[in-house]
Amino acid sequence: MRTLALDIGNTAVKYGYFEADALVESAAGQTAEQVRAAVQRLRPDHAVLASVAEPTTAWARELKEMIEGEVLEFVPATTPLPLGNAYATPHTLGADRLAAAVGAAWLLPQRPVVIVDVGTAIKCDLVAEGAFQGGSISPGLAMRFRALHAFTGRLPLVKKPADESAKIPLTGTDTQAAIRSGVLNGAVAEVRGMLAEYEARFPGLAVVLAGGDAPFFRTRLKRPIFVVPELVLLGLHRILVHHVST
């Protein structure tokens, strides 16, 4: 089975092309024209799309004109899943969070898993007892930097270093260094603390790291982790496989 998964995020559109369960090709920052060209070139049998931003209706309409098989618009509250969902308000649940949980549960069956998705937001979500249990959402790195600049009168806009492995001094000796320490070291400490709490409650816990800032966090969490950059795409693919096969 050849499938296309389309993830319409807050800041970028990604696609992933799968043959069986293998991710053969993926790309981020895609326009509608680029996605259209990829579909025409790859010719998937089926497609799935999800969005945390704009509605998927227009995207789905165009895909249905190009693909003979199923075009599934993933809706967390109503789409059947290969995973339980214990979230109290599924209609408010982001499609990316639930798709990532499906992907993590498929990769690591029978284990409690925390998905640390570090992108526009930092999300720590738990899969345990055969279901998505929920988790936490806090501002991502870029959002924290922007907020300090936007909501104060004099603090400059600072960015993460281009070198993902650069050491961030704990004690900043100027304003920019102090902001970097607060945002970057603070975010790492936040995630470490979350994981420590989950590990105390769930022995044998696995951790899956995903999202655009995963390279920055990878060497700083100081524990065994699985890094799966395209976890949301994988989860969407598994949701589509479940839909087509049932």
Side-chain angles (χ1 to χ4, degrees), residues 30-153:
Q30 299 292 286
T31 63
E33 291 74 17
Q34 289 172 314
V35 172
R36 188 182 302 114
V39 173
Q40 291 172 338
R41 174 172 52 85
L42 297 169
R43 298 189 177 280
D45 300 312
H46 309 286
V48 57
L49 62 162
S51 175
V52 296
E54 62 186 272
T56 57
T57 308
W59 286 91
R61 185 184 307 116
E62 184 160 357
L63 287 174
K64 287 175 182 177
E65 294 175 355
M66 303 173 68
I67 295 173
E68 292 185 5
E70 293 280 349
V71 175
L72 175 65
E73 293 181 72
F74 175 44
V75 180
T78 58
T79 302
L81 300 172
L83 177 72
N85 186 3
Y87 209 63
T89 55
H91 59 285
T92 68
L93 178 57
D96 56 338
R97 294 175 66 195
L98 191 52
V102 170
W106 182 77
L107 288 172
L108 296 159
Q110 311 303 320
R111 288 186 66 179
V113 182
V114 168
I115 302 107
V116 181
D117 189 339
V118 283
T120 302
I122 295 175
K123 294 162 282 189
C124 296
D125 285 324
L126 174 68
V127 175
E129 300 172 353
F132 175 78
Q133 301 292 338
S136 61
I137 306 172
S138 67
L141 300 182
M143 193 182 298
R144 296 178 193 219
F145 282 126
R146 287 198 302 268
L148 284 173
H149 175 63
F151 294 107
T152 63

Side-chain angles (χ1 to χ4, degrees), residues 2 9 18 20 23 27 33 38 45 47 59 76 83 126 128 143 147 165 186 193-194 197 207 215 246:
R2 299 171 301 168
F18 294 81
L23 178 62
E33 291 74 17
D45 300 312
W59 286 91
L83 177 72
L126 174 68
M143 193 182 298
S165 61
M194 289 284 191
E197 291 282 344
V207 176
T246 55

